[in-house]
Amino acid sequence: MTLNEFNQLDTPSARYQLRQCCVSDAWIEAMLAARPFTTAAQLCSTAERIWAALTQQDYLQAFEGHPKIGDVGSLRAKYADSKALAAGEQASVNHADEATLQALAAGNQAYEERFGFIFIVCATGKSAAEMLALLQARLENDRNTEIQLAAAEQQKITQIRLAKLLQDTVMPRISSHILDTTLGKPAAGIRVQLFKCQPDQSWIMLNEETTNTDGRIANLLKDTQPLENTRYRLRFHLQDYFVQQQQPCFYPQVEIECQLDAEAAHYHIPLLVSPFGYSTYRGS
């Protein structure tokens, strides 16, 4: 479905399509009220803004639309239409060994008993072992903290489902992933600014984002910003991160300049950092 086709759907049909992405009634109705969308990026940023303003009760309703990790077939009957999407998001679980699957099942049961809702995690790209480690770590949280963490994971899932919904719509993206090579872990909480070169060779800042707990930024382009045939700069602010890690910081700021082509639609620009060095490459 293209963005134009989605905008032209009647309200019941559009409501049905949005429910495949997130089953929160409040989120769905606010998204319907925000139509029409001029770009896919605007749709996704609006979805994120609406989600951030919802209540805990809205989040809990959204959580009910998910199967338990490791058991796609347990998806509740009233949300059965999202089963195919859920199956794709949890594909990596299918390759787990039996012991890991059993531990996941036991962990999910313990999680639900502790918090009163099922474990929510964006499973895309994660192995069953990684999800098990996340589950076990999050079992130590209090309920309010866990609702907020689960809501952040739900937001990632919703964005993936919106992209699948609009699979014929090209969404321009500049994404990044920062890895601390000293610790061998993602670097969370790093500010990244995006600049664009103007025709007069001056630079304008387009946006600023902060890496999430996975060290990722899904898209530095926001709202109606197109990807243009020009030079862009990504400025990574590293000093605060290394101070928090109690590490020296030889490069307090790293700036990467690259020539981008609008036809490519998506550029992934990772950064590998350590206290005394960094490297980058064009990812995928």
Side-chain angles (χ1 to χ4, degrees), residues 196-209:
K196 182 180 71 172
C197 185
Q198 302 285 73
D200 64 359
Q201 301 305 301
S202 65
W203 291 84
I204 182 173
M205 192 178 88
L206 299 180
N207 193 33
E208 179 178 308
E209 296 288 337

Side-chain angles (χ1 to χ4, degrees), residues 179-187 241 273:
L179 179 69
D180 185 330
T181 57
T182 301
L183 299 177
K185 295 181 179 180
Y241 170 79
V273 297

Side-chain angles (χ1 to χ4, degrees), residues 8-135:
Q8 293 180 8
L9 289 175
D10 58 64
T11 298
S13 297
R15 182 180 289 113
Y16 174 86
Q17 294 297 335
L18 288 169
R19 190 169 291 278
Q20 312 317 303
C21 301
C22 176
V23 302
S24 163
D25 290 332
W27 180 83
I28 292 170
E29 296 308 312
M31 287 292 289
L32 289 172
R35 287 195 305 165
F37 300 100
T38 56
T39 67
Q42 184 200 18
L43 181 149
C44 290
S45 64
T46 300
E48 184 175 354
R49 174 179 54 79
I50 291 171
W51 180 251
L54 297 184
T55 67
Q56 280 196 0
Q57 197 58 40
D58 297 321
Y59 294 155
L60 291 171
Q61 183 186 28
F63 301 162
E64 292 177 0
H66 289 276
K68 295 180 181 179
I69 296 295
D71 185 11
V72 176
S74 69
L75 186 61
R76 302 180 184 192
K78 65 179 179 178
Y79 302 126
D81 289 327
S82 63
K83 182 174 181 179
L85 289 174
E89 288 152 14
Q90 299 189 40
S92 60
V93 181
N94 298 332
H95 302 291
D97 59 63
E98 184 61 26
T100 301
L101 289 177
Q102 291 294 332
L104 271 174
N108 271 281
Q109 182 175 349
Y111 183 98
E112 189 169 5
E113 290 173 355
R114 174 171 170 76
F115 298 113
F117 56 90
I118 66 172
F119 178 58
I120 305 295
V121 64
C122 182
T124 303
K126 294 182 177 67
S127 68
E130 289 173 323
M131 287 191 289
L132 177 59
L134 286 171
L135 188 157

Side-chain angles (χ1 to χ4, degrees), residues 5 20 55 171 173 216 246 259 270:
E5 289 171 341
Q20 312 317 303
T55 67
M171 184 185 306
R173 292 174 60 205
R216 296 182 182 275
Q246 298 182 335
Q259 178 73 40

Side-chain angles (χ1 to χ4, degrees), residues 172-237:
R173 292 174 60 205
I174 299 176
S175 60
S176 186
H177 185 205
I178 307 179
L179 179 69
D180 185 330
T181 57
T182 301
L183 299 177
K185 295 181 179 180
I190 293 181
R191 290 192 302 123
V192 183
Q193 295 171 318
L194 178 68
F195 298 82
K196 182 180 71 172
C197 185
Q198 302 285 73
D200 64 359
Q201 301 305 301
S202 65
W203 291 84
I204 182 173
M205 192 178 88
L206 299 180
N207 193 33
E208 179 178 308
E209 296 288 337
T210 302
T211 56
N212 63 19
T213 54
D214 292 326
R216 296 182 182 275
I217 294 174
N219 195 2
L220 278 159
L221 289 171
K222 288 297 183 183
D223 296 329
T224 58
Q225 294 171 346
L227 183 62
E228 300 179 18
N229 297 316
T230 188
R231 287 177 293 150
Y232 287 82
R233 284 177 181 168
L234 281 75
R235 183 176 295 165
F236 300 84
H237 296 267

